[in-house]
Amino acid sequence: SYLGIATRNWGRPGEEFTLEGFTRVIEVGPKTDGDIVAILEGSNDAILKVTAGTYQRALQRVVNVLRVQGKVPLLLTIPAPC
């Protein structure tokens, strides 16, 4: 629970979103009874120098599939350091 809202963390440290993460997020969607799927992915892709276009296409596909599954994708980013 986070702020009184039931949550579940399906994250995997060290995962590359454009490879494993993309597939995992799509597979997890139907397994959850929640309405919202929060997505904080891509840090490892940046380190591995995945191009912005490749990342954008993978993220858009995930958003499209989650919407078809009846989920609301919530895209998150790491806040900039102070």
Side-chain angles (χ1 to χ4, degrees):
S1 175
Y2 182 72
L3 300 174
I5 301 169
T7 60
R8 187 175 242 177
N9 183 352
W10 293 85
R12 291 203 179 130
E15 178 177 75
E16 209 175 321
F17 175 67
T18 51
L19 297 176
E20 307 95 6
F22 170 78
T23 303
R24 184 181 53 78
V25 172
I26 289 172
E27 290 173 353
V28 165
K31 296 178 183 176
T32 67
D33 57 353
D35 300 322
I36 300 170
V37 176
I39 302 170
L40 175 58
E41 293 274 358
S43 298
N44 295 314
D45 297 78
I47 292 168
L48 297 169
K49 300 186 185 215
V50 172
T51 67
T54 298
Y55 179 79
Q56 180 183 8
R57 284 187 296 278
L59 188 58
Q60 185 63 61
R61 286 193 304 257
V62 165
V63 166
N64 294 346
V65 170
L66 288 172
R67 286 180 175 162
V68 167
Q69 293 174 352
K71 307 295 179 183
V72 176
L74 175 63
L75 305 179
L76 305 171
T77 186
I78 299 171
C82 297

